[in-house]
Amino acid sequence: MTGARRGGSARFVALRGPGRQARWQRARLRRIAAAALVAVAVCAAWGLLRPAPEATVAVTVAARPIAAGAKISPADLRTARWPSSVAVPGVLPLSTAAGRTATAAIAAGEPVTQSRATRSIWGVLRADEQAFTIPLADPALAGLLSPGDLLDLYDPGDHRVVVSAARVVMSTTPKVEPMGGSATADVMVVVAVPRRNSAELAGSLATAATLGTGLVAAARPSG
C-alpha cells in the first residue's frame, strides 16, 4: 500500500511539478512565436500584393476663377498634385505663370497652360496677322469660344463673308444679369485675321457701328 501511495505521489509530482510547468511555458512561447511569424508573413504578403502608390507631379492650377483678359497674380495660383499618368500639355511652372494675361476664362482648379496664359495677347499673332476686337450680333456666342477657334465673319450690311476662318485670340464670357436677365453687351472677342483682310474687316466694323449692331459670326471646324 505504501508503495502504491509513493507511485501515485510520484506521478502527481510529474504532472504538477516544476518540469511540467516548464514544458507548458515552452509550449506557450512556441505558440506565441508561431502566431507572430504568421502575422509577419501576412503583412509581408499584403505589402507585396498591395499596389504601389501612383506617382504624382506638381501642376500649376488656378486658385480661384480668373477672367479672360485679367492679369494673373500670384494669389490667383496654387500648386496641385496630379497623377503623373495624366498629361497636361503646356502647363506653366508656378514661377512663370504669374504676370501673364489670361486669354480665356480659367476655372478654379483648372491647369494654367501656355494657351490659357500668355505674356502678351499680341504675342500670339503671326507675322502676317492683325488683331481686331469684334462686336458680336449674338453676344452669347462669346461664352462658347476658346482661343484657337475659327469663325467666319459676316458684314451686317450686305451679309457677305468678310473673313473666313478668323482665329479667336481671346473671348470673354457674357455677364448675365440677376433674375435671369439677358447677357449684357460687355463682351469682347479678339480675333486674328490675315493682313490682306484687314481693310475689308475694318469697313464692316464701321458699318456695324453705324447700324448699332455687331458682326454675325459662325463657328467652323478648326481641324
Side-chain angles (χ1 to χ4, degrees):
M1 177 68 70
T2 302
R5 284 199 298 269
R6 287 177 180 174
S9 176
R11 285 194 296 273
F12 179 79
V13 170
L15 293 174
R16 300 293 302 274
R20 172 67 176 176
Q21 186 174 6
R23 287 194 297 274
W24 181 82
Q25 289 287 352
R26 287 195 296 271
R28 181 171 179 268
L29 290 175
R30 283 196 295 269
R31 287 194 295 271
I32 293 174
L37 290 174
V38 170
V40 170
V42 169
C43 291
W46 171 250
L48 292 174
L49 296 175
R50 184 180 57 187
E54 187 172 3
T56 60
V57 294
V59 175
T60 303
V61 300
R64 55 192 180 190
I66 303 174
K71 189 124 181 180
I72 300 174
S73 70
D76 294 324
L77 305 170
R78 66 180 178 87
T79 299
R81 303 299 303 186
W82 281 41
S84 56
S85 58
V86 180
V88 183
V91 67
L92 293 168
L94 189 66
S95 58
T96 60
R100 294 186 173 228
T101 301
T103 59
I106 305 175
E110 181 182 347
V112 180
T113 61
Q114 294 176 1
S115 63
R116 290 286 193 177
T118 180
R119 294 189 183 278
S120 168
I121 291 178
W122 318 125
V124 301
L125 294 178
R126 297 161 187 161
D128 63 338
E129 290 180 331
Q130 289 186 310
F132 285 82
T133 301
I134 304 298
L136 297 178
D138 179 11
L141 177 62
L144 305 176
L145 299 175
S146 298
D149 288 344
L150 301 179
L151 298 175
D152 289 340
L153 302 176
Y154 294 80
D155 185 277
D158 56 18
H159 311 297
R160 59 189 170 81
V161 176
V162 181
V163 180
S164 295
R167 183 166 53 87
V168 175
V169 174
M170 186 177 73
S171 176
T172 62
T173 302
K175 296 179 181 179
V176 178
E177 298 298 336
M179 305 303 293
S182 60
T184 71
D186 187 14
V187 174
M188 179 175 62
V189 176
V190 179
V191 297
V193 300
R195 289 179 182 271
R196 65 179 181 274
N197 299 122
S198 296
E200 192 169 9
L201 178 56
S204 294
L205 290 173
T207 301
T210 302
L211 297 176
T213 184
L215 302 187
V216 174
R220 61 184 297 171
S222 57

